[in-house]
Amino acid sequence: MSSLSRELVFLILQFLEEEKFKESVHRLEKESGFFFNMKYFEEKVQAGEWDEVEKYLSGFTKVDDNRYSMKIFFEIRKQKYLEALDRQDKAKAVEILVGDLKVFSTFNEELYKEITQLLTLGNFRENEQLSKYGDTKTARSIMLIELKKLIEANPLFRDKLTFPTLKSSRLRTLINQSLNWQHQLCKNPRPNPDIKTLFTDHTCTPPNGPLAPTPVNLPIAAVAKPTAYASLGAHGPFPPPVAAAANNALAGWMANASASSSVQAAVVTATSIPVPQNQVSILKHPRTPPTTPGMIDYQSPDHEQLIKRLRSSQSVEEVTYPTSRQQASWSVEDLPKTVAFTLHQGSNVTSMDFHPSHHTLLLVGSSNGEITLWDIGLRERLVSKPFKIWDLATCSMAFQATIVKETPISVNRVMWSADGNFVGVAFTKHLIHLYACSGSNDLRQHLEIDAHAGAVNDLAFAHPNKQLCVVTCGEDKLIKVWDLTGRRLFNFEGHEAPVYSICPHHKENIQFIFSTAIDGKIKAWLYDNMGSRVDYDAPGNWCTTMLYSADGSRLFSCGTSKDGDSHLVEWNESEGAIKRTYCGFRKKSTGVVQFDATQNHFLAAGEDSQIKFWDMDNINVIASTDADGGLLSLPRLRFNKEGSLLAVTTADHGFKILANAVGLKTLKAFESTSFEGMRPSIESASIKVSGSSAVPHVSPVNCKVERSSPVRSTPILNGVDPIRRSAEKPRNVDDIMDKAKPWQLTEILDPVHCRLVTMPDSTDTSSKVVRLLYTNSGVGVLALGSNGVQKLWKWIRNEQNPSGKATTSVVPQHWQPNSGLLMTNDVPGVSLEEAVPCIALSKNDSYVMSACGGKVSLFNMMTFKVMTTFMPPPPASTFLAFHPQDNNIIAIGMEDSTIHIYNVRVDEVKSKLKGHQKRITGLAFSTNLNILVSSGADAQLCVWSIDTWEKRKSVTLQLPAGKAPVGDTRVQFHSDQIRLLVVHETQLAIYDASKMDRIRQWLPLDVLSAPISYAAYSCNSQLIYATFCDGNIAVFDSDTLRLRCRIAPSAYFSQAVLNGSQAVYPLVVAAHPQEPNQFAVGLTDGSVKVFEPTESDGKWGTPQPNDNGILSGRTGSSSTTSNHTPDQMQR
């Protein structure tokens, strides 16, 4: 092998070691024979892993190579033999003697005989030469000393015991140099090249349009190193860098995740080559400059797994932050500096937070413990919640003692969850409150937790393992993570002072939390029990808060020292060092300066009764304002998510709203709508310029969602569709005025007013469609007929349908395998008229499980073959549901009212749940609440613990007077996994499943007076699709159960069907898994139809407006639009 090839092996060894491919490192060491890793050899000897010890040695020498090698192998095998004797394992000892030690008898037969005679002794220490043999650990250590001497003396190991001195990540450096050279040869070099592969030479795509950048050189470092690597110790083969103690364990997974400015974790930083000053800054190997706050690296085996996870391709289910693009149009005029108005809170404002998508909804916390939800567009309080203890009995004795002393309790933090479904409140004593938000002016008590001893200093929402959680920190020096049932998931200890603030975040698929304490320490935590991963020193060494830019790519902190010096900085995450320090703080502060960021471009902080603004890329103040005076000396401030409005606290217990041109236009539009008939006619009071107003709530259409959380934004207020929002044109006055028009129910009476397609070969009057599903991929529809036969339709990807997804624009194919096989359930001997069909589809669409009065059959979706059958009747299966976290576990509802928890893999019923009186008709899992909710033909709902399968609660539906408790009851969870849709022929109802309290109810009446046959949430849970036994289809707003749209039978039936003697109507409805405005229905004549609104409409009607919970804009006297019962009156 050539010298260069040999050196390449060493570079690969270094790379493998840095990447923690430990088995591969040692395998290459052995197979190449270039480097004998003494440390690894010692570890295996001390562990007594003798097979691995000899296997590793075999790469460098054999038993009979020379006398040193023979002695090495003899000592190892002798030790293995003695340990077997010490364990009194004579059989193993004989095996070693015959198999391993026999080879040495040809060289020293007398020694072999002496060793053999040890078998006859009760204790081999009776042999004089072995009388001083101690315990196993000591014997191995003594032997190791001898082995090391033999190895060092063995000429075969010469030049193989020392690893060459290399700079850190040398192979990565060479690759980056190559990429840099390739980039310089590009005809159209771009400043942030999108390098996605090393398999082919790099070349930049030609610039396209006016955004094409000017050519610059590629920085040597394309992306930060995935991690910092711990030294292997004194005998380690890879010399640690000079500043190894400052290595940042989080460097890689907190590096910039932007795909357009990085080689996707394949190429890493080279630090040895200078980069021209005009190039973008690069992330170096983590190294803390002596003048910069340092960081300590805590390595763990779990951390190694993180690096491996980072290398894997990103899951499609993970949220990716949008790539930020250089803006050419930013100006000081974009800053919200103009005072729009002042609102009076009545108590000192301590915390504020704008709704994540409804940009005029502001949540305010006060020093008197009250929280208030303001609509600043209307200058109106929507909800006020004075502080009160919801359940004192569940609180700790320490907290109860505090209450007795009548200590005033203030709000420390208010916070929206990223989807707008929940509000969190942290108080100055022990408690946090969680409210569920199911409407623009409806905050319902959800959860109270006695979270910390002393003050709860901060609260935030996070989404580890795709589960919405609450993170809190407190005076007791702890950080805690809670699920939405109040169960504590993690308890992080490590701070030596009260924890001041927390900042949950994620990079790619790694979730973590930054925390700061009042001693100036900043720590980072993963969602495990392995302790803090890093330890920064915050500038000022006192109270500091941290936040990320809206796109998640940049980290900032702002704090004040005990001496009153304030510090606003940007961090270089990969180094644990300060990247930029902003100037402009003038006077000593008596408290802690607060700050916020917006539009991925601006920072703002409150100091000296002013608001000061910075460009993120400029250390100098670019603007400041005193907001016409009256601000606190250290005002609190909060931008709305689009950066058009800024709330700032005042000295007279209120706050001011500052706006830019867009914000002023928005507020003016609200003001104008209030004068154009939006008020109910009974309101005659004049509209006030500021303060409270009786104007009903109007929410503008939101077109831009900026987020700094891994949780995907799915706002639910007023039924705004977050998926469509991104495609809608920017909000303007016309959009808002549209909302001000008198509301009218959308009624679709003619086929031209909607789009629909009928599945081919679907009509079969002898077999009703009783169950209907979309495939999870959204490319097919699966129907189960009352005859037990399943049919599948698929949309084909072609020019007319490039996405290949279900659409009404293209007729799908009735799909069957080449064998012509049908998916037919086990029905011999079954009375199909009495059977209750059931169906469930695996998450990857590979298998479908169904039954129709007989055994449950598991079908392969490609071949339609029956893979297996199980659960033969009696009793018959009536409902099927896969466990959300284990596809091998199935909940099966039975005809005899029981629920079987069945493990497919072992073919065993693990639990049998009893609580209903009649057959099971519905099952729904909630991973957030860790429960299974079941419904039955007895109009009962039961709640079961997923952990223990014990029944937690039972609720009876409230049926109309005189109605017997019969009929199928269906259940389905909202996407928040808290709210539960309950469907009965007599009603639609929404329940809070955490308490099983009914929130809303809708009863059929007037034109929609027929019994309900089925209902289901849309994929984003914004809408509810309901079908009726007279052929009507209704679309409801899911938050309020207000009717948005009615589709009459005349819109989708031919005149012949309408005039026929046999009534035809939909029995079941299914919602598309990705398109919120598409649904399918299965009918009694065996046909299946897919519906979408017209392209011009784009959605099913508009939500009915409300006036603080009282309906407005009703058309005529028809109660079909508003026949609902709010079980908790909106304020």
Side-chain angles (χ1 to χ4, degrees):
M1 182 178 285
S2 69
S3 174
L4 286 179
S5 296
R6 177 185 171 91
E7 289 182 0
L8 178 59
V9 172
F10 282 109
L11 293 177
I12 295 171
L13 284 172
Q14 183 196 39
F15 172 80
L16 292 174
E17 178 64 24
E18 290 175 337
E19 290 295 297
K20 307 299 182 186
F21 291 118
K22 292 187 176 180
E23 292 182 8
S24 300
V25 169
H26 303 310
R27 184 169 180 175
L28 182 56
E29 288 168 353
K30 178 182 77 70
E31 291 182 351
S32 67
F34 291 164
F35 174 69
F36 185 84
N37 190 331
M38 186 68 81
K39 181 177 175 61
Y40 175 71
F41 179 75
E42 290 176 11
E43 289 174 352
K44 295 303 175 185
V45 170
Q46 290 284 17
E49 296 179 25
W50 306 118
D51 291 342
E52 180 60 26
V53 167
E54 288 205 20
K55 185 178 178 182
Y56 188 71
L57 274 172
S58 67
F60 303 87
T61 184
K62 301 294 185 290
V63 174
D64 56 356
D65 278 348
N66 57 42
R67 60 191 180 92
Y68 298 100
S69 298
M70 183 176 295
K71 179 66 171 171
I72 291 169
F73 280 94
F74 175 77
E75 290 296 329
I76 291 169
R77 295 177 182 182
K78 182 186 73 174
Q79 180 63 27
K80 182 167 62 167
Y81 175 70
L82 294 177
E83 288 182 16
L85 290 175
D86 209 21
R87 296 192 307 268
Q88 298 299 314
D89 188 350
K90 294 292 180 70
K92 183 66 176 177
V94 171
E95 178 184 329
I96 295 168
L97 184 68
V98 175
D100 296 332
L101 291 171
K102 180 71 173 176
V103 66
F104 302 106
S105 64
T106 58
F107 304 100
N108 193 332
E109 188 172 347
E110 291 299 318
L111 178 60
Y112 181 75
K113 289 181 179 179
E114 186 176 354
I115 292 174
T116 303
Q117 290 175 1
L118 296 177
L119 286 167
T120 64
L121 303 178
N123 185 339
F124 63 83
R125 293 174 180 83
E126 296 172 16
N127 182 291
E128 184 178 350
Q129 295 183 41
L130 297 173
S131 61
K132 294 183 179 180
Y133 185 101
D135 58 79
T136 299
K137 185 177 180 180
T138 304
R140 289 175 181 172
S141 298
I142 294 171
M143 179 188 67
L144 259 176
I145 296 172
E146 179 66 13
L147 289 178
K148 288 174 68 176
K149 292 178 180 178
L150 291 168
I151 290 171
E152 289 167 0
N154 194 328
L156 293 175
F157 288 83
R158 190 171 298 146
D159 300 325
K160 296 181 179 181
L161 299 178
T162 303
F163 197 87
T165 301
L166 301 174
K167 288 189 176 181
S168 177
S169 304
R170 178 61 183 160
L171 181 60
R172 303 168 192 273
T173 300
L174 293 173
I175 292 173
N176 271 303
Q177 289 172 351
S178 170
L179 289 172
N180 188 55
W181 177 252
Q182 292 173 32
H183 185 67
Q184 291 177 14
L185 296 178
C186 287
K187 293 181 179 179
N188 299 288
R190 311 191 71 164
N192 291 313
D194 189 5
I195 302 174
K196 295 182 177 179
T197 181
L198 299 178
F199 295 159
T200 57
D201 287 348
H202 162 68
T203 179
C204 291
T205 55
N208 185 18
L211 290 177
T214 56
V216 298
N217 288 334
L218 171 70
I220 297 299
V223 71
K225 283 186 62 174
T227 183
Y229 305 105
S231 167
L232 296 180
H235 300 288
F238 305 99
V242 176
N247 285 349
N248 182 351
L250 298 177
W253 57 268
M254 296 193 302
N256 192 334
S258 172
S260 68
S261 61
S262 64
V263 181
Q264 296 287 315
V267 186
V268 294
T269 299
T271 61
S272 56
I273 302 176
V275 180
Q277 291 296 316
N278 64 336
Q279 295 183 3
V280 296
S281 60
I282 61 177
L283 298 173
K284 305 171 188 173
H285 181 80
R287 186 167 296 167
T288 304
T291 58
T292 312
M295 184 194 67
I296 301 169
D297 174 14
Y298 299 96
Q299 294 284 0
S300 73
D302 204 48
H303 174 70
E304 297 168 13
Q305 295 302 315
L306 289 174
I307 304 308
K308 291 181 180 179
R309 287 165 56 194
L310 180 62
R311 281 193 299 268
S312 62
S313 60
Q314 184 172 335
S315 167
V316 296
E317 296 179 350
E318 297 292 337
V319 173
T320 304
Y321 291 109
T323 302
S324 58
R325 175 177 288 175
Q326 282 297 111
Q327 300 286 340
S329 58
W330 292 116
S331 73
V332 176
E333 300 307 314
D334 294 317
L335 294 169
K337 296 182 296 177
T338 303
V339 177
F341 48 79
T342 302
L343 295 174
H344 187 66
Q345 177 68 20
S347 181
N348 185 39
V349 175
T350 55
S351 181
M352 299 178 291
D353 194 29
F354 277 96
H355 191 278
S357 58
H358 292 261
H359 301 312
T360 60
L361 290 184
L362 178 65
L363 190 64
V364 176
S366 307
S367 58
N368 64 357
E370 181 181 51
I371 66 164
T372 304
L373 179 58
W374 289 85
D375 189 321
I376 60 174
L378 304 175
R379 309 181 193 184
E380 176 183 323
R381 296 176 194 252
L382 299 178
V383 180
S384 286
K385 297 284 186 182
F387 173 75
K388 67 176 182 179
I389 302 166
W390 298 348
D391 189 354
L392 184 60
T394 61
C395 298
S396 65
M397 294 304 296
F399 177 63
Q400 294 184 38
T402 302
I403 296 302
V404 171
K405 296 176 183 177
E406 297 184 355
T407 306
I409 293 181
S410 302
V411 173
N412 265 341
R413 169 73 78 176
V414 292
M415 179 73 70
W416 287 98
S417 64
D419 56 9
N421 288 341
F422 292 94
V423 165
V425 188
F427 295 98
T428 52
K429 296 293 179 185
H430 289 249
L431 294 184
I432 66 167
H433 283 170
L434 289 185
Y435 292 89
C437 182
S438 58
S440 60
N441 50 2
D442 182 19
L443 293 181
R444 292 177 290 104
Q445 294 180 4
H446 177 73
L447 183 65
E448 179 179 64
I449 304 175
D450 189 340
H452 292 270
V456 184
N457 290 330
D458 201 4
L459 171 147
F461 289 92
H463 213 257
N465 302 317
K466 302 178 184 178
Q467 177 185 8
L468 183 61
C469 295
V470 182
V471 185
T472 61
C473 67
E475 202 172 5
D476 55 6
K477 308 176 186 177
L478 300 176
I479 299 133
K480 301 181 182 182
V481 182
W482 315 84
D483 68 13
L484 296 188
T485 66
R487 182 165 58 107
R488 189 178 68 194
L489 303 178
F490 297 100
N491 190 73
F492 298 133
E493 301 181 29
H495 276 292
E496 298 177 357
V499 185
Y500 180 73
S501 71
I502 45 177
C503 178
H505 194 58
H506 90 303
K507 288 282 183 176
E508 299 195 5
N509 58 343
I510 307 298
Q511 303 274 349
F512 56 92
I513 305 167
F514 274 122
S515 62
T516 71
I518 65 171
D519 61 358
K521 289 296 183 183
I522 303 175
K523 294 182 182 291
W525 317 80
L526 300 179
Y527 291 90
D528 57 23
N529 296 306
M530 302 299 292
S532 170
R533 291 313 201 279
V534 298
D535 195 340
Y536 296 108
D537 285 320
N541 294 307
W542 199 41
C543 298
T544 297
T545 54
M546 306 183 79
L547 63 76
Y548 276 88
S549 56
D551 64 2
S553 65
R554 302 174 71 172
L555 176 64
F556 302 91
S557 74
C558 182
T560 305
S561 70
K562 292 181 180 179
D563 297 329
D565 296 318
S566 297
H567 305 267
L568 176 60
V569 303
E570 180 178 4
W571 288 87
N572 184 329
E573 294 173 281
S574 69
E575 295 188 359
I578 292 171
K579 179 179 179 180
R580 184 180 285 110
T581 300
Y582 298 90
C583 308
F585 294 107
R586 294 185 179 178
K587 62 181 292 184
K588 298 283 186 179
S589 301
T590 56
V592 181
V593 169
Q594 305 294 318
F595 84 122
D596 200 6
T598 187
Q599 296 179 342
N600 299 315
H601 199 79
F602 296 115
L603 298 167
E607 184 220 25
D608 194 19
S609 298
Q610 296 183 64
I611 304 300
K612 298 179 179 179
F613 299 94
W614 290 264
D615 184 308
M616 288 181 178
D617 298 321
N618 188 335
I619 64 171
N620 297 311
V621 173
I622 59 171
S624 63
T625 179
D626 64 357
D628 298 340
L631 301 185
L632 288 166
S633 60
L634 293 174
R636 297 179 181 274
L637 67 159
R638 197 72 167 175
F639 288 102
N640 70 348
K641 296 303 181 286
E642 62 180 8
S644 61
L645 301 173
L646 177 65
V648 186
T649 56
T650 61
D652 59 353
H653 298 169
F655 56 93
K656 294 188 178 188
I657 298 299
L658 281 62
N660 60 14
V662 174
L664 289 172
K665 195 172 182 180
T666 300
L667 296 174
K668 186 176 181 181
F670 270 95
E671 186 176 314
S672 64
T673 60
S674 65
F675 284 93
E676 296 183 16
M678 278 299 292
R679 283 173 177 263
S681 57
I682 60 171
E683 285 288 347
S684 59
S686 62
I687 297 177
K688 301 176 183 179
V689 176
S690 65
S692 179
S693 169
V695 182
H697 174 62
V698 181
S699 288
V701 177
N702 170 36
C703 68
K704 181 178 180 181
V705 179
E706 290 187 11
R707 56 186 183 270
S708 58
S709 165
V711 185
R712 178 174 178 175
S713 177
T714 54
I716 61 163
L717 297 183
N718 294 332
V720 177
D721 174 7
I723 296 178
R724 290 192 57 82
R725 181 179 296 114
S726 61
E728 291 175 353
K729 61 183 180 180
R731 185 177 68 181
N732 54 39
V733 176
D734 294 333
D735 293 332
I736 298 167
M737 293 299 292
D738 223 18
K739 308 266 286 185
K741 295 176 182 177
W743 180 84
Q744 193 169 15
L745 173 66
T746 301
E747 296 199 282
I748 296 174
L749 308 176
D750 193 275
V752 299
H753 296 143
C754 68
R755 294 180 292 162
L756 71 101
V757 63
T758 302
M759 304 298 101
D761 305 321
S762 64
T763 303
D764 181 0
T765 54
S766 65
S767 177
K768 306 172 183 177
V769 176
V770 287
R771 297 293 178 265
L772 189 67
L773 297 172
Y774 276 93
T775 59
N776 293 300
S777 60
V779 302
V781 171
L782 181 66
L784 172 59
S786 57
N787 61 357
V789 177
Q790 293 165 114
K791 293 182 179 180
L792 175 65
W793 292 271
K794 285 186 178 181
W795 278 259
I796 306 302
R797 189 189 302 271
N798 52 33
E799 291 182 4
Q800 291 76 31
N801 185 25
S803 71
K805 296 294 178 71
T807 175
T808 55
S809 303
V810 176
V811 177
Q813 293 183 3
H814 180 204
W815 198 89
Q816 281 185 284
N818 293 332
S819 65
L821 199 63
L822 296 177
M823 277 195 285
T824 305
N825 274 283
D826 172 57
V827 292
V830 173
S831 172
L832 294 176
E833 292 77 18
E834 298 177 2
V836 181
C838 51
I839 189 170
L841 185 63
S842 66
K843 293 176 183 177
N844 60 5
D845 294 334
S846 297
Y847 302 97
V848 63
M849 179 173 56
S850 61
C852 196
K855 298 176 184 177
V856 177
S857 299
L858 186 67
F859 294 91
N860 183 306
M861 284 281 282
M862 292 299 294
T863 64
F864 286 10
K865 290 182 179 179
V866 177
M867 308 303 292
T868 185
T869 59
F870 50 92
M871 303 300 289
S877 304
T878 58
F879 203 91
L880 302 168
F882 281 101
H883 192 291
Q885 294 159 333
D886 188 347
N887 265 340
N888 291 306
I889 304 296
I890 305 167
I892 307 177
M894 311 300 287
E895 180 70 32
D896 66 355
S897 79
T898 62
I899 302 165
H900 292 190
I901 307 302
Y902 176 75
N903 189 315
V904 178
R905 179 176 294 170
V906 298
D907 189 21
E908 182 181 343
V909 175
K910 293 295 187 179
S911 297
K912 187 179 291 188
L913 316 183
K914 297 180 180 180
H916 288 274
Q917 305 303 314
K918 295 183 179 179
R919 71 173 182 272
I920 305 301
T921 58
L923 296 168
F925 284 94
S926 169
T927 51
N928 272 358
L929 299 178
N930 220 31
I931 59 173
L932 167 68
V933 176
S934 60
S935 60
D938 54 0
Q940 291 275 332
L941 304 174
C942 292
V943 181
W944 313 86
S945 166
I946 291 179
D947 294 328
T948 62
W949 300 115
E950 294 178 351
K951 187 164 77 170
R952 290 185 181 178
K953 197 167 186 178
S954 180
V955 175
T956 303
L957 289 185
Q958 297 178 16
L959 301 179
K963 178 68 178 178
V966 294
D968 290 358
T969 307
R970 311 277 179 202
V971 287
Q972 183 188 0
F973 271 103
H974 187 281
S975 59
D976 66 9
Q977 296 280 289
I978 304 294
R979 280 170 284 177
L980 180 75
L981 171 63
V982 179
V983 184
H984 187 264
E985 64 180 44
T986 65
Q987 64 187 277
L988 300 176
I990 305 293
Y991 282 74
D992 180 341
S994 64
K995 305 171 185 175
M996 288 310 291
D997 292 338
R998 195 181 68 188
I999 306 167
R1000 295 280 186 276
Q1001 184 185 47
W1002 183 91
L1003 305 175
L1005 203 63
D1006 293 344
V1007 71
L1008 292 178
S1009 59
I1012 301 167
S1013 58
Y1014 210 95
Y1017 276 121
S1018 62
C1019 63
N1020 63 356
S1021 299
Q1022 302 281 329
L1023 306 174
I1024 294 173
Y1025 299 114
T1027 56
F1028 295 80
C1029 294
D1030 61 358
N1032 274 299
I1033 302 171
V1035 183
F1036 294 86
D1037 185 279
S1038 67
D1039 294 336
T1040 61
L1041 287 187
R1042 289 184 170 89
L1043 186 62
R1044 295 170 62 109
C1045 176
R1046 179 178 76 92
I1047 304 173
S1050 58
Y1052 64 97
F1053 283 144
S1054 66
Q1055 202 60 43
V1057 172
L1058 292 172
N1059 296 333
S1061 58
Q1062 191 71 31
V1064 179
Y1065 60 92
L1067 278 174
V1068 62
V1069 63
H1072 191 282
Q1074 288 104 31
E1075 295 294 336
N1077 286 292
Q1078 185 187 130
F1079 65 91
V1081 296
L1083 295 112
T1084 54
D1085 65 355
S1087 64
V1088 176
K1089 298 178 186 291
V1090 174
F1091 290 77
E1092 287 182 294
T1094 61
E1095 290 186 0
S1096 59
D1097 291 335
K1099 58 185 177 181
W1100 298 109
T1102 56
Q1104 188 177 356
N1106 58 22
D1107 179 17
N1108 291 336
I1110 302 172
L1111 294 172
S1112 62
R1114 289 172 60 176
T1115 57
S1117 60
S1118 173
S1119 60
T1120 61
T1121 63
S1122 56
N1123 182 33
H1124 78 291
T1125 305
D1127 292 287
Q1128 297 175 357
M1129 284 301 294
Q1130 299 180 13
R1131 293 173 175 79

